[in-house]
Amino acid sequence: PRYFPGEEMLIKIKYLGITAGYVKVQTLPSKQVNKKSVFHFSAKLSSAKYYSYIYNLDDAIDSFVRTDEFIPVKYLLTQRESAQEVDDLQIFDYAKHKTFSWYRRLKKGIEKKDEKNSYMPYFVHDSFSVLQFFRGLNLNKGDFYVIPVSTRGKIWTLEAKVLGKDELEIMGKPTPAIKISAVTKFPGVLTASDDILFWFSDDPHRMILKFEAKVKIGALEGEIE
């Protein structure tokens, strides 16, 4: 694992070429969850000041990952947006090979709730911890990974191939990077036919430098600031 308590990454998000918001990704001090030592990863997404008049975002994600095997034990997503409110909690039980999920969404005055427990493979990730997991892999050119991910009790896969070394201009400086192409096998906003490109820094920190993704409603891109 690549775990750096106190690390903060601020990523600018663009939608259709317009700065829509910022994501602050933080590595917080390790702690105990259900008597297990865990890493704590956090992300907060907020709208850019002028974009909030179009659509306001105030989202937060927390993932707690076991320090011994780097598998998640708890995932929490809260979304407070112009169009909806969402609360999404997942608990991972490896003794029973089950994930327990609770989901609530309020949209246009209609509240939807869902609670379930589902089978999961042992080495599974949530949609946030999988990015942190990637940082610890070898990421040699040509490497191919298929990683199971759990979202609201559904198991899907993230398929990723390491394209090789690259160089980006980040904050006005040439920065060595590792480029990865990924495809999600999940029936959601990110479709299976669209590539997602990630760039991690080619150094011991493996910071998330940049991403590009095609979605049903347009194109998203992010770059570290």
Side-chain angles (χ1 to χ4, degrees), residues 153-186:
K154 294 181 180 180
I155 303 299
W156 52 282
T157 57
L158 178 68
E159 299 181 0
K161 183 177 181 179
V162 182
L163 301 180
K165 307 282 187 179
D166 201 357
E167 187 173 271
L168 303 176
E169 186 171 312
I170 301 294
M171 295 178 282
K173 296 180 180 179
T175 304
I178 301 170
K179 186 178 182 180
I180 298 170
S181 173
V183 175
T184 60
K185 298 293 186 178
F186 181 74

Side-chain angles (χ1 to χ4, degrees), residues 58 82 116 133 178:
D58 185 12
S82 296
K116 67 177 72 171
F133 176 69
I178 301 170

Side-chain angles (χ1 to χ4, degrees), residues 6-56:
E7 177 186 72
E8 289 188 5
M9 292 179 278
L10 183 66
I11 300 170
K12 178 168 65 176
I13 305 296
K14 289 186 176 181
Y15 170 60
L16 298 176
I18 300 171
T19 300
Y22 295 86
V23 181
K24 180 186 281 189
V25 181
Q26 294 178 287
T27 301
L28 301 175
S30 57
K31 49 180 60 68
Q32 294 279 320
V33 172
N34 196 25
K35 298 181 180 179
K36 294 286 186 180
S37 177
V38 297
F39 298 130
H40 183 187
F41 300 104
S42 174
K44 297 187 185 300
L45 172 62
S46 57
S47 302
K49 189 174 181 180
Y50 59 87
Y51 198 83
S52 63
Y53 295 104
I54 303 171
Y55 193 85
N56 189 56

Side-chain angles (χ1 to χ4, degrees), residues 107-160:
K107 186 174 183 179
K108 295 182 179 179
I110 300 173
E111 187 175 58
K112 176 183 177 181
K113 291 185 177 181
D114 186 34
E115 180 178 332
K116 67 177 72 171
N117 64 82
S118 311
Y119 169 81
M120 69 173 189
Y122 191 86
F123 289 103
V124 72
H125 275 277
D126 62 57
S127 55
F128 184 39
S129 68
V130 70
L131 291 175
Q132 301 292 346
F133 176 69
F134 259 99
R135 298 175 69 185
L137 297 175
N138 289 327
L139 301 183
N140 295 316
K141 184 178 180 179
D143 285 355
F144 183 74
Y145 303 96
V146 181
I147 302 171
V149 181
S150 175
T151 300
R152 293 171 52 194
K154 294 181 180 180
I155 303 299
W156 52 282
T157 57
L158 178 68
E159 299 181 0

